Amino acid sequence: MIDRLLNYGFAIVLIALLVLYSGAAERVWILGSVLLCSAIVFVAYINNYFTIDGAGAALMVGILSVGLGGWFGTFILIFFYAGAHVLAWWFEMPEHPEMEARKHGMQIWSESFWFVLFIALYYTFEQTWLIVAASAALASSAAVTWRAITDRSLAYNAKLVTTLKHVPSGTAGSVSYKGTLAAAAAVLIVALIFLFATPSLDFRAAAIIVLAGFSGCFADSYLCAIFIVHKSAKRWLSDPVKKTKLAGLQRLVPDRQGSLFLAAGLASAIAVLLY
């Protein structure tokens, strides 16, 4: 339900920007992005990459990223979605768990919400710090994905970030040397895309994207460990004294997608503060 509301909300934002802020050439670009993204998402959907809600979310994210983000949004979105598949192919794992399940709407929005939000704001106000925040958010999400694939493929022993105890690779909240290196590579690539796809070579901004994106990736591990492995919030809310009054808060405890969403938001906040 929430993913559909986000689709409708951002569709309204897109129409408003198209009418109020777009020139003739920009309108042609946005309309072209609608046609291109529609074709790509349709092909992905019939090949079982998305659920129906996932396809709607992916279409909206694609149109906003390409239509409002220009070449920068196009390149970074291609890297984000294609990079995970290339990495899994490199490890010769076509049936990799990270790639196998069809993506649903909340998965798409949890990893892309902050990116498209700041892209839309950048299109409106044209302030550099907004596109830096957008890049940091997607760098965080990309780093989480690359780390997860690498951990499941190469890291046979990982450590839980809160206790440093050995856990099976792929466990929520776990870290490993190889996974950390993969995450660092992901944020570096996003920073390079930022450097070469934006008008100015702002190396300070690129360094902030790397730092903020990597921090977001680490925050995702910590949040997963706290909320999923240790279940700290659920155990506190299930206390007999609090159970009747605070039972509704159980729904607000972050799951895997919620942790990713919060981590990407934190990466954006760090980028804004440092820039």
Side-chain angles (χ1 to χ4, degrees):
M1 183 62 180
I2 296 177
D3 55 328
R4 295 183 182 181
L5 292 176
L6 287 171
N7 291 344
Y8 301 145
F10 274 103
I12 294 172
V13 170
L14 180 64
I15 294 171
L17 293 177
L18 183 67
V19 173
L20 299 175
Y21 291 93
S22 302
E26 292 170 322
R27 290 177 182 176
V28 171
W29 176 273
I30 292 173
L31 293 175
S33 71
V34 172
L35 297 175
L36 178 62
C37 293
S38 297
I40 293 174
V41 170
F42 176 74
V43 172
Y45 174 70
I46 62 177
N47 282 280
N48 294 319
Y49 186 74
F50 299 119
T51 64
I52 186 65
D53 287 335
L59 178 61
M60 201 67 251
V61 169
I63 294 172
L64 288 164
S65 301
V66 177
L68 303 183
W71 288 112
F72 165 76
T74 303
F75 290 145
I76 204 167
L77 198 66
I78 290 173
F79 161 72
F80 183 70
Y81 284 106
H85 287 280
V86 171
L87 191 65
W89 169 81
W90 180 263
F91 291 139
E92 298 181 350
M93 297 187 70
E95 301 298 328
H96 197 284
E98 293 294 326
M99 301 292 103
E100 189 175 6
R102 295 198 301 169
K103 285 182 174 289
H104 55 76
M106 287 308 298
Q107 283 180 293
I108 301 295
W109 279 115
S110 65
E111 60 196 17
S112 308
F113 172 82
W114 297 105
F115 175 71
V116 296
L117 175 64
F118 282 107
I119 284 290
L121 291 173
Y122 175 75
Y123 186 84
T124 306
F125 300 107
E126 297 184 355
Q127 297 293 318
T128 304
W129 66 270
L130 291 169
I131 201 169
V132 172
S135 303
L138 204 70
S140 174
S141 297
V144 170
T145 302
W146 279 43
R147 183 196 62 203
I149 294 175
T150 304
D151 279 349
R152 290 182 181 273
S153 303
L154 298 179
Y156 300 105
N157 287 310
K159 292 182 179 180
L160 195 63
V161 69
T162 50
T163 62
L164 297 181
K165 292 182 179 180
H166 286 282
V167 293
S169 61
T171 301
S174 64
V175 293
S176 69
Y177 293 117
K178 293 177 181 178
T180 301
L181 289 175
V187 296
L188 283 172
I189 293 173
V190 171
L192 289 174
I193 294 174
F194 169 84
L195 282 176
F196 292 107
T198 51
S200 60
L201 290 175
D202 191 342
F203 289 97
R204 174 173 167 266
I208 290 173
I209 290 169
V210 171
L211 178 60
F214 194 77
S215 299
C217 179
F218 180 81
D220 175 79
S221 295
Y222 185 79
L223 291 171
C224 285
I226 292 296
F227 293 118
I228 298 176
V229 178
H230 298 303
K231 299 181 180 179
S232 301
K234 288 186 177 181
R235 284 190 285 106
W236 184 81
L237 290 173
S238 63
D239 186 283
V241 178
K242 308 179 182 70
K243 191 171 184 179
T244 54
K245 296 182 180 180
L246 302 177
L249 293 179
Q250 289 273 9
R251 301 177 183 178
L252 301 179
V253 176
D255 56 5
R256 187 67 192 85
Q257 278 72 50
S259 298
L260 182 59
F261 169 81
L262 292 174
L266 178 63
S268 295
I270 293 173
V272 171
L273 291 173
L274 293 179
Y275 190 75

